[in-house]
Amino acid sequence: MQWGLIGASTIASEHVIAAIRTQEGNSIKSVLSSNAQRGADYAARHSIPASVTDLNAIVDDADIDAVYISTTNEKHFEQAMASIAGGKHVLCEKPLAMTVSEAIKMVHASEEAGVVFATNHHLRNAGSHLAIRDLIQSGRLGKILSVRIFHAVHLPTHLQGWRINDAAAGGGVIPDIVVHDADTVRFYLGEDPVDVVAKAGISGMGQGVEDSVMSVWSMPSGAMVQTHESFTHPFAGTGIEVHGTEASVIARNVMTQQPVGEILLVDGSEREDVEYSDHGLYDRSLSLFTKAVAGDGRPAADGVDGVKSLAVALAVRQAAVQGQAVRVDYGGI
Ligand code: NDP
């Protein structure tokens, strides 16, 4: 399978290019950048044969089977719709789009075109999260009472651009990190948040978009979810806790791009370390995507998963702005 990269991005550079090349028979033909020189430099740095500045050069290229979209968030919709219209399979970065209705259009267009459309939610590919999900779904924790997510990190200097300065490009910690936490909770519990309350803050790290948020979500089962996402916390560490009537899971350092972290299963006086696979998160995402293209199974997170994580994030932002509870609007999907 030949790929076109839409976006000369950091995430492609740091994770996804290698993950594509790890898949047998997969290669990258070209990369799209809005800047010819940056695109050429990027292509040279990553041994990609060509760089282009016109989206049609990828969309109309019959040799390209699939695209990976990792531009800034406001571009995903248009680029995905054009790629789908060109018959390409699409792996799109989160958030899928700026609005739920745009994201739903992407899903419907891909269904009509018969192409695979997936969202690159990496966390549900982690061995750690798969192990926790299995514990929950096996009933080992009993009835789930609550989930607490600690996802306050310090945004690395090289990423302190549009994410903290540019609302129009989809900046802000809510579209950046809340979407991942929403996807993880949905993946664990197999249900969708109903309504949310939230408070957000702008500390001064950037301009105009929130860099911290705390929220509480209600789940249909009655479970409560508490989350904290931030770009400004150098020493907080990440984690997730799932508390049930029979046991709790306490996981540290697992809200990350690496296959790392510790998981503890706590049950009365017993404390047991939970073992998990240390495969690469993006390797698994790409492996399931390429299999789905070959007609074998489904991607780790499909388009509907991307719509729903976006819907939760947008509800969190609306709740923070309005200072009142907001029902999550999934747009009927
Ligand atoms: P980057 O800022 O690295 O790249 C986004 C765009 O910015 C690129 O497409 C590029 O435009 C432009 N750009 C990159 N470097 C420069 C530069 N030096 N000067 C000017 N413009 C530049 O973003 P990320 O890689 O961090 O994020 C891209 C997407 O991926 C986002 O949607 C984000 O939400 C998502 N993401 C997902 C992660 C995951 O684990 N699933 C993790 C991180 C990000 P052009 O292409 O036109 O050259």
Side-chain angles (χ1 to χ4, degrees):
M1 184 154 82
Q2 288 229 78
W3 287 76
L5 301 185
I6 298 182
S9 69
T10 308
I11 177 70
S13 174
E14 292 181 351
H15 294 281
V16 177
I17 290 173
I20 289 173
R21 288 177 170 154
T22 299
Q23 311 310 316
E24 197 181 335
N26 281 242
S27 59
I28 300 167
K29 185 173 180 196
S30 64
V31 57
L32 173 80
S33 171
S34 56
N35 179 297
Q37 189 58 55
R38 189 169 63 243
D41 292 346
Y42 192 95
R45 200 159 61 248
H46 295 290
S47 305
I48 297 169
S51 61
V52 299
T53 55
D54 179 2
L55 180 60
N56 291 329
I58 287 183
V59 167
D60 296 337
D61 187 336
D63 292 338
I64 292 180
D65 309 293
V67 299
Y68 168 59
I69 300 176
S70 63
T71 46
T72 48
N73 303 336
E74 88 289 9
K75 294 183 177 154
H76 296 176
F77 172 65
E78 205 179 307
Q79 292 170 335
M81 292 301 278
S83 302
I84 291 165
K88 310 302 180 201
H89 304 287
V90 177
L91 175 61
C92 188
E93 269 306 341
K94 43 49 66 170
L96 281 188
M98 300 290 275
T99 67
V100 169
S101 62
E102 283 178 350
I104 289 175
K105 280 182 193 155
M106 293 154 86
V107 171
H108 287 161
S110 66
E111 287 168 353
E112 280 161 25
V115 296
V116 173
F117 180 67
T119 313
N120 198 30
H121 278 307
H122 61 296
L123 290 175
R124 62 163 70 202
N125 288 288
S128 57
H129 293 291
L130 286 159
I132 296 170
R133 194 275 315 259
D134 288 350
L135 282 169
I136 294 167
Q137 295 196 352
S138 74
R140 179 69 183 81
L141 274 57
K143 178 175 165 52
I144 302 304
L145 304 169
S146 63
V147 179
R148 299 197 294 209
I149 299 178
F150 310 90
H151 208 156
V153 298
H154 194 260
L155 192 64
T157 315
H158 71 284
L159 295 181
Q160 290 185 23
W162 60 271
R163 263 189 186 75
I164 53 168
N165 292 319
D166 194 349
V173 77
I174 293 173
D176 201 55
I177 303 186
V178 173
V179 286
H180 282 312
D181 295 342
D183 185 64
T184 304
V185 169
R186 292 188 58 252
F187 178 62
Y188 278 7
L189 303 186
E191 56 179 350
D192 303 326
V194 177
D195 56 34
V196 307
V197 293
K199 283 251 180 197
I202 301 178
S203 73
M205 181 187 237
Q207 294 168 359
V209 294
E210 78 287 333
D211 53 31
S212 289
V213 63
M214 294 186 181
S215 62
V216 176
W217 315 343
S218 307
M219 304 301 289
S221 62
M224 296 179 72
V225 179
Q226 172 192 324
T227 83
H228 178 201
E229 294 86 3
S230 179
F231 287 149
T232 66
H233 286 49
F235 311 113
T238 70
I240 191 161
E241 298 178 357
V242 186
H243 302 288
T245 52
E246 307 301 321
S248 287
V249 160
I250 298 177
R252 290 288 176 256
N253 194 25
V254 291
M255 309 309 280
T256 166
Q257 297 170 306
Q258 305 298 336
V260 297
E262 305 80 44
I263 310 174
L264 210 54
L265 181 65
V266 181
D267 167 6
S269 56
E270 301 295 319
R271 298 168 79 82
E272 179 191 323
D273 284 318
V274 176
E275 303 282 322
Y276 62 87
S277 164
D278 65 355
H279 60 259
L281 284 62
Y282 298 91
D283 290 346
R284 184 174 182 276
S285 175
L286 266 296
S287 169
L288 292 180
F289 183 88
T290 55
K291 281 186 185 149
V293 169
D296 177 11
R298 48 153 283 172
D302 62 17
V304 174
D305 293 317
V307 172
K308 292 192 171 181
S309 65
L310 174 63
V312 175
L314 292 178
V316 166
R317 183 175 266 162
Q318 192 185 342
V321 169
Q322 295 180 346
Q324 60 190 34
V326 169
R327 198 170 177 86
V328 184
D329 181 359
Y330 295 102
I333 205 161

mmCIF file of all heavy atoms in Angstrom, residues 274-322:
data_model
loop_
_atom_site.group_PDB
_atom_site.id
_atom_site.type_symbol
_atom_site.label_atom_id
_atom_site.label_comp_id
_atom_site.label_asym_id
_atom_site.label_seq_id
_atom_site.Cartn_x
_atom_site.Cartn_y
_atom_site.Cartn_z
ATOM 1 N N VAL A 274 -0.278 -5.367 37.289
ATOM 2 C CA VAL A 274 -0.917 -5.924 36.092
ATOM 3 C C VAL A 274 0.097 -5.883 34.940
ATOM 4 O O VAL A 274 0.665 -4.835 34.634
ATOM 5 C CB VAL A 274 -2.183 -5.111 35.715
ATOM 6 C CG1 VAL A 274 -2.794 -5.630 34.425
ATOM 7 C CG2 VAL A 274 -3.186 -5.148 36.861
ATOM 8 N N GLU A 275 0.309 -7.043 34.329
ATOM 9 C CA GLU A 275 1.226 -7.139 33.190
ATOM 10 C C GLU A 275 0.523 -6.684 31.915
ATOM 11 O O GLU A 275 -0.707 -6.820 31.800
ATOM 12 C CB GLU A 275 1.656 -8.598 32.980
ATOM 13 C CG GLU A 275 2.314 -9.236 34.185
ATOM 14 C CD GLU A 275 3.747 -8.791 34.325
ATOM 15 O OE1 GLU A 275 4.425 -8.641 33.299
ATOM 16 O OE2 GLU A 275 4.167 -8.547 35.479
ATOM 17 N N TYR A 276 1.282 -6.141 30.981
ATOM 18 C CA TYR A 276 0.669 -5.773 29.702
ATOM 19 C C TYR A 276 1.721 -5.805 28.585
ATOM 20 O O TYR A 276 2.926 -5.771 28.860
ATOM 21 C CB TYR A 276 -0.005 -4.404 29.790
ATOM 22 C CG TYR A 276 0.936 -3.252 30.095
ATOM 23 C CD1 TYR A 276 1.598 -2.592 29.073
ATOM 24 C CD2 TYR A 276 1.167 -2.839 31.400
ATOM 25 C CE1 TYR A 276 2.467 -1.548 29.350
ATOM 26 C CE2 TYR A 276 2.025 -1.799 31.685
ATOM 27 C CZ TYR A 276 2.671 -1.155 30.653
ATOM 28 O OH TYR A 276 3.536 -0.132 30.917
ATOM 29 N N SER A 277 1.231 -5.836 27.360
ATOM 30 C CA SER A 277 2.121 -5.879 26.191
ATOM 31 C C SER A 277 2.777 -4.511 25.971
ATOM 32 O O SER A 277 2.130 -3.475 26.132
ATOM 33 C CB SER A 277 1.300 -6.261 24.954
ATOM 34 O OG SER A 277 2.021 -5.954 23.788
ATOM 35 N N ASP A 278 4.054 -4.522 25.576
ATOM 36 C CA ASP A 278 4.752 -3.241 25.359
ATOM 37 C C ASP A 278 4.938 -2.918 23.870
ATOM 38 O O ASP A 278 5.891 -2.258 23.475
ATOM 39 C CB ASP A 278 6.093 -3.218 26.093
ATOM 40 C CG ASP A 278 7.058 -4.251 25.537
ATOM 41 O OD1 ASP A 278 6.643 -5.044 24.650
ATOM 42 O OD2 ASP A 278 8.224 -4.264 25.972
ATOM 43 N N HIS A 279 3.999 -3.384 23.026
ATOM 44 C CA HIS A 279 4.083 -3.050 21.596
ATOM 45 C C HIS A 279 3.905 -1.537 21.391
ATOM 46 O O HIS A 279 3.333 -0.842 22.236
ATOM 47 C CB HIS A 279 2.992 -3.803 20.806
ATOM 48 C CG HIS A 279 1.615 -3.476 21.266
ATOM 49 N ND1 HIS A 279 0.875 -4.297 22.091
ATOM 50 C CD2 HIS A 279 0.828 -2.395 21.039
ATOM 51 C CE1 HIS A 279 -0.291 -3.737 22.347
ATOM 52 N NE2 HIS A 279 -0.349 -2.574 21.725
ATOM 53 N N GLY A 280 4.362 -1.030 20.250
ATOM 54 C CA GLY A 280 4.212 0.389 19.934
ATOM 55 C C GLY A 280 2.746 0.748 19.681
ATOM 56 O O GLY A 280 2.026 0.018 18.996
ATOM 57 N N LEU A 281 2.304 1.881 20.232
ATOM 58 C CA LEU A 281 0.902 2.284 20.102
ATOM 59 C C LEU A 281 0.552 2.569 18.643
ATOM 60 O O LEU A 281 -0.488 2.144 18.126
ATOM 61 C CB LEU A 281 0.623 3.524 20.950
ATOM 62 C CG LEU A 281 0.482 3.338 22.465
ATOM 63 C CD1 LEU A 281 1.747 2.798 23.123
ATOM 64 C CD2 LEU A 281 0.068 4.631 23.126
ATOM 65 N N TYR A 282 1.420 3.317 17.969
ATOM 66 C CA TYR A 282 1.140 3.710 16.584
ATOM 67 C C TYR A 282 1.327 2.515 15.644
ATOM 68 O O TYR A 282 0.649 2.414 14.626
ATOM 69 C CB TYR A 282 2.017 4.901 16.179
ATOM 70 C CG TYR A 282 1.726 6.112 17.044
ATOM 71 C CD1 TYR A 282 2.444 6.356 18.218
ATOM 72 C CD2 TYR A 282 0.691 6.982 16.721
ATOM 73 C CE1 TYR A 282 2.157 7.440 19.024
ATOM 74 C CE2 TYR A 282 0.387 8.073 17.522
ATOM 75 C CZ TYR A 282 1.130 8.298 18.679
ATOM 76 O OH TYR A 282 0.819 9.369 19.481
ATOM 77 N N ASP A 283 2.232 1.599 16.001
ATOM 78 C CA ASP A 283 2.399 0.384 15.191
ATOM 79 C C ASP A 283 1.084 -0.392 15.149
ATOM 80 O O ASP A 283 0.657 -0.873 14.103
ATOM 81 C CB ASP A 283 3.485 -0.520 15.774
ATOM 82 C CG ASP A 283 4.870 0.065 15.625
ATOM 83 O OD1 ASP A 283 5.026 1.029 14.845
ATOM 84 O OD2 ASP A 283 5.795 -0.426 16.295
ATOM 85 N N ARG A 284 0.435 -0.494 16.308
ATOM 86 C CA ARG A 284 -0.826 -1.251 16.348
ATOM 87 C C ARG A 284 -1.926 -0.516 15.584
ATOM 88 O O ARG A 284 -2.711 -1.120 14.850
ATOM 89 C CB ARG A 284 -1.261 -1.502 17.793
ATOM 90 C CG ARG A 284 -2.514 -2.373 17.892
ATOM 91 C CD ARG A 284 -2.825 -2.717 19.337
ATOM 92 N NE ARG A 284 -3.978 -3.593 19.472
ATOM 93 C CZ ARG A 284 -5.244 -3.185 19.487
ATOM 94 N NH1 ARG A 284 -5.520 -1.895 19.353
ATOM 95 N NH2 ARG A 284 -6.240 -4.043 19.624
ATOM 96 N N SER A 285 -1.963 0.817 15.737
ATOM 97 C CA SER A 285 -2.964 1.594 15.011
ATOM 98 C C SER A 285 -2.814 1.367 13.507
ATOM 99 O O SER A 285 -3.793 1.108 12.793
ATOM 100 C CB SER A 285 -2.798 3.087 15.349
ATOM 101 O OG SER A 285 -3.674 3.877 14.578
ATOM 102 N N LEU A 286 -1.569 1.449 13.032
ATOM 103 C CA LEU A 286 -1.320 1.273 11.586
ATOM 104 C C LEU A 286 -1.549 -0.163 11.152
ATOM 105 O O LEU A 286 -2.036 -0.412 10.033
ATOM 106 C CB LEU A 286 0.106 1.729 11.254
ATOM 107 C CG LEU A 286 0.234 3.184 10.789
ATOM 108 C CD1 LEU A 286 -0.498 3.409 9.464
ATOM 109 C CD2 LEU A 286 -0.291 4.181 11.809
ATOM 110 N N SER A 287 -1.230 -1.112 12.015
ATOM 111 C CA SER A 287 -1.432 -2.515 11.667
ATOM 112 C C SER A 287 -2.924 -2.799 11.469
ATOM 113 O O SER A 287 -3.333 -3.414 10.469
ATOM 114 C CB SER A 287 -0.858 -3.396 12.783
ATOM 115 O OG SER A 287 -1.261 -4.722 12.594
ATOM 116 N N LEU A 288 -3.758 -2.327 12.404
ATOM 117 C CA LEU A 288 -5.202 -2.576 12.272
ATOM 118 C C LEU A 288 -5.778 -1.823 11.085
ATOM 119 O O LEU A 288 -6.694 -2.304 10.401
ATOM 120 C CB LEU A 288 -5.918 -2.200 13.573
ATOM 121 C CG LEU A 288 -5.594 -3.113 14.772
ATOM 122 C CD1 LEU A 288 -6.354 -2.670 16.008
ATOM 123 C CD2 LEU A 288 -5.901 -4.566 14.459
ATOM 124 N N PHE A 289 -5.237 -0.627 10.812
ATOM 125 C CA PHE A 289 -5.723 0.137 9.659
ATOM 126 C C PHE A 289 -5.417 -0.613 8.362
ATOM 127 O O PHE A 289 -6.291 -0.770 7.491
ATOM 128 C CB PHE A 289 -5.083 1.533 9.639
ATOM 129 C CG PHE A 289 -5.576 2.405 8.522
ATOM 130 C CD1 PHE A 289 -6.709 3.200 8.679
ATOM 131 C CD2 PHE A 289 -4.923 2.435 7.298
ATOM 132 C CE1 PHE A 289 -7.180 3.987 7.638
ATOM 133 C CE2 PHE A 289 -5.377 3.226 6.249
ATOM 134 C CZ PHE A 289 -6.513 4.006 6.424
ATOM 135 N N THR A 290 -4.181 -1.070 8.209
ATOM 136 C CA THR A 290 -3.814 -1.741 6.948
ATOM 137 C C THR A 290 -4.586 -3.051 6.788
ATOM 138 O O THR A 290 -4.988 -3.411 5.683
ATOM 139 C CB THR A 290 -2.292 -1.999 6.854
ATOM 140 O OG1 THR A 290 -1.870 -2.723 7.994
ATOM 141 C CG2 THR A 290 -1.515 -0.712 6.763
ATOM 142 N N LYS A 291 -4.833 -3.748 7.896
ATOM 143 C CA LYS A 291 -5.650 -4.976 7.808
ATOM 144 C C LYS A 291 -7.077 -4.632 7.379
ATOM 145 O O LYS A 291 -7.676 -5.338 6.572
ATOM 146 C CB LYS A 291 -5.677 -5.689 9.161
ATOM 147 C CG LYS A 291 -4.415 -6.484 9.430
ATOM 148 C CD LYS A 291 -4.557 -7.282 10.715
ATOM 149 C CE LYS A 291 -3.244 -7.972 11.037
ATOM 150 N NZ LYS A 291 -3.049 -8.125 12.479
ATOM 151 N N ALA A 292 -7.625 -3.541 7.938
ATOM 152 C CA ALA A 292 -8.986 -3.139 7.574
ATOM 153 C C ALA A 292 -9.069 -2.828 6.084
ATOM 154 O O ALA A 292 -10.046 -3.182 5.411
ATOM 155 C CB ALA A 292 -9.431 -1.942 8.410
ATOM 156 N N VAL A 293 -8.036 -2.186 5.556
ATOM 157 C CA VAL A 293 -8.023 -1.889 4.114
ATOM 158 C C VAL A 293 -8.029 -3.190 3.311
ATOM 159 O O VAL A 293 -8.664 -3.283 2.251
ATOM 160 C CB VAL A 293 -6.799 -1.014 3.747
ATOM 161 C CG1 VAL A 293 -6.618 -0.932 2.240
ATOM 162 C CG2 VAL A 293 -6.950 0.387 4.355
ATOM 163 N N ALA A 294 -7.357 -4.208 3.845
ATOM 164 C CA ALA A 294 -7.313 -5.512 3.158
ATOM 165 C C ALA A 294 -8.593 -6.315 3.406
ATOM 166 O O ALA A 294 -8.686 -7.485 2.998
ATOM 167 C CB ALA A 294 -6.093 -6.290 3.627
ATOM 168 N N GLY A 295 -9.559 -5.727 4.122
ATOM 169 C CA GLY A 295 -10.837 -6.411 4.339
ATOM 170 C C GLY A 295 -10.855 -7.279 5.579
ATOM 171 O O GLY A 295 -11.782 -8.066 5.785
ATOM 172 N N ASP A 296 -9.837 -7.121 6.423
ATOM 173 C CA ASP A 296 -9.713 -7.950 7.620
ATOM 174 C C ASP A 296 -9.926 -7.079 8.866
ATOM 175 O O ASP A 296 -9.028 -6.378 9.305
ATOM 176 C CB ASP A 296 -8.313 -8.593 7.610
ATOM 177 C CG ASP A 296 -8.056 -9.426 8.851
ATOM 178 O OD1 ASP A 296 -9.015 -9.670 9.613
ATOM 179 O OD2 ASP A 296 -6.895 -9.826 9.047
ATOM 180 N N GLY A 297 -11.123 -7.104 9.412
ATOM 181 C CA GLY A 297 -11.395 -6.392 10.665
ATOM 182 C C GLY A 297 -11.614 -4.905 10.478
ATOM 183 O O GLY A 297 -11.828 -4.413 9.374
ATOM 184 N N ARG A 298 -11.546 -4.193 11.619
ATOM 185 C CA ARG A 298 -11.815 -2.746 11.608
ATOM 186 C C ARG A 298 -10.637 -2.006 12.231
ATOM 187 O O ARG A 298 -9.836 -2.600 12.957
ATOM 188 C CB ARG A 298 -13.107 -2.421 12.356
ATOM 189 C CG ARG A 298 -13.252 -3.059 13.718
ATOM 190 C CD ARG A 298 -14.141 -2.265 14.636
ATOM 191 N NE ARG A 298 -13.443 -1.103 15.178
ATOM 192 C CZ ARG A 298 -14.002 -0.126 15.892
ATOM 193 N NH1 ARG A 298 -15.291 -0.164 16.126
ATOM 194 N NH2 ARG A 298 -13.295 0.868 16.373
ATOM 195 N N PRO A 299 -10.519 -0.716 11.921
ATOM 196 C CA PRO A 299 -9.431 0.035 12.542
ATOM 197 C C PRO A 299 -9.624 0.124 14.055
ATOM 198 O O PRO A 299 -10.740 -0.091 14.550
ATOM 199 C CB PRO A 299 -9.532 1.426 11.909
ATOM 200 C CG PRO A 299 -10.708 1.432 11.021
ATOM 201 C CD PRO A 299 -11.374 0.094 11.061
ATOM 202 N N ALA A 300 -8.558 0.454 14.770
ATOM 203 C CA ALA A 300 -8.652 0.543 16.237
ATOM 204 C C ALA A 300 -9.739 1.539 16.634
ATOM 205 O O ALA A 300 -10.575 1.254 17.488
ATOM 206 C CB ALA A 300 -7.303 0.954 16.813
ATOM 207 N N ALA A 301 -9.702 2.714 16.048
ATOM 208 C CA ALA A 301 -10.747 3.722 16.286
ATOM 209 C C ALA A 301 -11.268 4.143 14.926
ATOM 210 O O ALA A 301 -10.496 4.602 14.076
ATOM 211 C CB ALA A 301 -10.179 4.922 17.041
ATOM 212 N N ASP A 302 -12.548 3.973 14.690
ATOM 213 C CA ASP A 302 -13.085 4.317 13.372
ATOM 214 C C ASP A 302 -13.599 5.767 13.364
ATOM 215 O O ASP A 302 -13.350 6.538 14.306
ATOM 216 C CB ASP A 302 -14.156 3.314 12.939
ATOM 217 C CG ASP A 302 -15.367 3.284 13.859
ATOM 218 O OD1 ASP A 302 -15.546 4.247 14.647
ATOM 219 O OD2 ASP A 302 -16.138 2.308 13.791
ATOM 220 N N GLY A 303 -14.310 6.112 12.300
ATOM 221 C CA GLY A 303 -14.785 7.483 12.186
ATOM 222 C C GLY A 303 -15.816 7.834 13.251
ATOM 223 O O GLY A 303 -15.821 8.943 13.795
ATOM 224 N N VAL A 304 -16.697 6.879 13.562
ATOM 225 C CA VAL A 304 -17.717 7.156 14.585
ATOM 226 C C VAL A 304 -17.043 7.423 15.935
ATOM 227 O O VAL A 304 -17.448 8.308 16.692
ATOM 228 C CB VAL A 304 -18.729 5.987 14.662
ATOM 229 C CG1 VAL A 304 -19.700 6.194 15.820
ATOM 230 C CG2 VAL A 304 -19.484 5.856 13.344
ATOM 231 N N ASP A 305 -15.991 6.666 16.223
ATOM 232 C CA ASP A 305 -15.245 6.931 17.469
ATOM 233 C C ASP A 305 -14.703 8.354 17.469
ATOM 234 O O ASP A 305 -14.710 9.033 18.502
ATOM 235 C CB ASP A 305 -14.083 5.934 17.612
ATOM 236 C CG ASP A 305 -14.563 4.503 17.822
ATOM 237 O OD1 ASP A 305 -15.499 4.307 18.610
ATOM 238 O OD2 ASP A 305 -13.991 3.594 17.187
ATOM 239 N N GLY A 306 -14.235 8.810 16.316
ATOM 240 C CA GLY A 306 -13.703 10.167 16.223
ATOM 241 C C GLY A 306 -14.783 11.225 16.368
ATOM 242 O O GLY A 306 -14.565 12.282 16.968
ATOM 243 N N VAL A 307 -15.959 10.956 15.819
ATOM 244 C CA VAL A 307 -17.092 11.885 15.977
ATOM 245 C C VAL A 307 -17.442 12.008 17.462
ATOM 246 O O VAL A 307 -17.632 13.112 17.997
ATOM 247 C CB VAL A 307 -18.332 11.385 15.200
ATOM 248 C CG1 VAL A 307 -19.552 12.240 15.536
ATOM 249 C CG2 VAL A 307 -18.083 11.400 13.693
ATOM 250 N N LYS A 308 -17.488 10.869 18.138
ATOM 251 C CA LYS A 308 -17.964 10.875 19.538
ATOM 252 C C LYS A 308 -16.952 11.525 20.474
ATOM 253 O O LYS A 308 -17.332 12.268 21.392
ATOM 254 C CB LYS A 308 -18.324 9.460 19.966
ATOM 255 C CG LYS A 308 -19.562 8.967 19.216
ATOM 256 C CD LYS A 308 -20.137 7.705 19.785
ATOM 257 C CE LYS A 308 -21.483 7.407 19.115
ATOM 258 N NZ LYS A 308 -22.115 6.192 19.635
ATOM 259 N N SER A 309 -15.668 11.289 20.248
ATOM 260 C CA SER A 309 -14.677 11.947 21.121
ATOM 261 C C SER A 309 -14.716 13.455 20.902
ATOM 262 O O SER A 309 -14.577 14.242 21.850
ATOM 263 C CB SER A 309 -13.276 11.386 20.857
ATOM 264 O OG SER A 309 -12.821 11.691 19.553
ATOM 265 N N LEU A 310 -14.938 13.865 19.655
ATOM 266 C CA LEU A 310 -15.052 15.308 19.365
ATOM 267 C C LEU A 310 -16.297 15.887 20.039
ATOM 268 O O LEU A 310 -16.245 16.986 20.620
ATOM 269 C CB LEU A 310 -15.119 15.520 17.846
ATOM 270 C CG LEU A 310 -15.391 16.947 17.373
ATOM 271 C CD1 LEU A 310 -14.266 17.889 17.803
ATOM 272 C CD2 LEU A 310 -15.573 16.986 15.848
ATOM 273 N N ALA A 311 -17.399 15.149 19.980
ATOM 274 C CA ALA A 311 -18.644 15.648 20.580
ATOM 275 C C ALA A 311 -18.470 15.879 22.081
ATOM 276 O O ALA A 311 -18.941 16.887 22.623
ATOM 277 C CB ALA A 311 -19.782 14.658 20.318
ATOM 278 N N VAL A 312 -17.779 14.965 22.747
ATOM 279 C CA VAL A 312 -17.556 15.135 24.193
ATOM 280 C C VAL A 312 -16.678 16.369 24.437
ATOM 281 O O VAL A 312 -16.970 17.199 25.305
ATOM 282 C CB VAL A 312 -16.902 13.872 24.798
ATOM 283 C CG1 VAL A 312 -16.571 14.102 26.274
ATOM 284 C CG2 VAL A 312 -17.816 12.658 24.636
ATOM 285 N N ALA A 313 -15.614 16.502 23.653
ATOM 286 C CA ALA A 313 -14.713 17.652 23.837
ATOM 287 C C ALA A 313 -15.453 18.968 23.619
ATOM 288 O O ALA A 313 -15.275 19.925 24.390
ATOM 289 C CB ALA A 313 -13.519 17.529 22.886
ATOM 290 N N LEU A 314 -16.280 19.029 22.590
ATOM 291 C CA LEU A 314 -16.995 20.284 22.315
ATOM 292 C C LEU A 314 -18.019 20.574 23.415
ATOM 293 O O LEU A 314 -18.249 21.741 23.768
ATOM 294 C CB LEU A 314 -17.662 20.225 20.938
ATOM 295 C CG LEU A 314 -16.674 20.197 19.762
ATOM 296 C CD1 LEU A 314 -17.413 20.098 18.433
ATOM 297 C CD2 LEU A 314 -15.748 21.405 19.764
ATOM 298 N N ALA A 315 -18.599 19.526 23.989
ATOM 299 C CA ALA A 315 -19.519 19.737 25.113
ATOM 300 C C ALA A 315 -18.763 20.264 26.326
ATOM 301 O O ALA A 315 -19.256 21.139 27.052
ATOM 302 C CB ALA A 315 -20.237 18.428 25.449
ATOM 303 N N VAL A 316 -17.559 19.745 26.549
ATOM 304 C CA VAL A 316 -16.740 20.226 27.673
ATOM 305 C C VAL A 316 -16.413 21.708 27.470
ATOM 306 O O VAL A 316 -16.528 22.511 28.404
ATOM 307 C CB VAL A 316 -15.448 19.385 27.800
ATOM 308 C CG1 VAL A 316 -14.435 20.063 28.708
ATOM 309 C CG2 VAL A 316 -15.784 17.989 28.327
ATOM 310 N N ARG A 317 -16.055 22.066 26.249
ATOM 311 C CA ARG A 317 -15.741 23.490 26.019
ATOM 312 C C ARG A 317 -16.980 24.365 26.226
ATOM 313 O O ARG A 317 -16.915 25.405 26.878
ATOM 314 C CB ARG A 317 -15.172 23.697 24.615
ATOM 315 C CG ARG A 317 -14.786 25.151 24.392
ATOM 316 C CD ARG A 317 -14.109 25.362 23.055
ATOM 317 N NE ARG A 317 -12.659 25.299 23.140
ATOM 318 C CZ ARG A 317 -11.865 25.107 22.098
ATOM 319 N NH1 ARG A 317 -12.382 24.888 20.917
ATOM 320 N NH2 ARG A 317 -10.560 25.116 22.240
ATOM 321 N N GLN A 318 -18.104 23.924 25.700
ATOM 322 C CA GLN A 318 -19.343 24.701 25.854
ATOM 323 C C GLN A 318 -19.726 24.826 27.331
ATOM 324 O O GLN A 318 -20.129 25.894 27.795
ATOM 325 C CB GLN A 318 -20.463 24.014 25.062
ATOM 326 C CG GLN A 318 -21.707 24.865 24.905
ATOM 327 C CD GLN A 318 -22.838 24.098 24.214
ATOM 328 O OE1 GLN A 318 -22.622 23.073 23.574
ATOM 329 N NE2 GLN A 318 -24.052 24.596 24.359
ATOM 330 N N ALA A 319 -19.559 23.750 28.078
ATOM 331 C CA ALA A 319 -19.889 23.779 29.511
ATOM 332 C C ALA A 319 -18.982 24.768 30.244
ATOM 333 O O ALA A 319 -19.432 25.500 31.133
ATOM 334 C CB ALA A 319 -19.752 22.383 30.106
ATOM 335 N N ALA A 320 -17.699 24.788 29.856
ATOM 336 C CA ALA A 320 -16.754 25.702 30.511
ATOM 337 C C ALA A 320 -17.098 27.153 30.173
ATOM 338 O O ALA A 320 -17.049 28.040 31.032
ATOM 339 C CB ALA A 320 -15.332 25.378 30.070
ATOM 340 N N VAL A 321 -17.483 27.402 28.942
ATOM 341 C CA VAL A 321 -17.812 28.772 28.515
ATOM 342 C C VAL A 321 -19.111 29.238 29.173
ATOM 343 O O VAL A 321 -19.207 30.361 29.676
ATOM 344 C CB VAL A 321 -17.928 28.837 26.969
ATOM 345 C CG1 VAL A 321 -18.522 30.166 26.519
ATOM 346 C CG2 VAL A 321 -16.559 28.617 26.327
ATOM 347 N N GLN A 322 -20.099 28.361 29.203
ATOM 348 C CA GLN A 322 -21.427 28.757 29.704
ATOM 349 C C GLN A 322 -21.562 28.631 31.210
ATOM 350 O O GLN A 322 -22.495 29.176 31.792
ATOM 351 C CB GLN A 322 -22.511 27.910 29.029
ATOM 352 C CG GLN A 322 -22.608 28.161 27.528
ATOM 353 C CD GLN A 322 -23.677 27.312 26.861
ATOM 354 O OE1 GLN A 322 -24.184 26.356 27.448
ATOM 355 N NE2 GLN A 322 -24.021 27.645 25.637
#
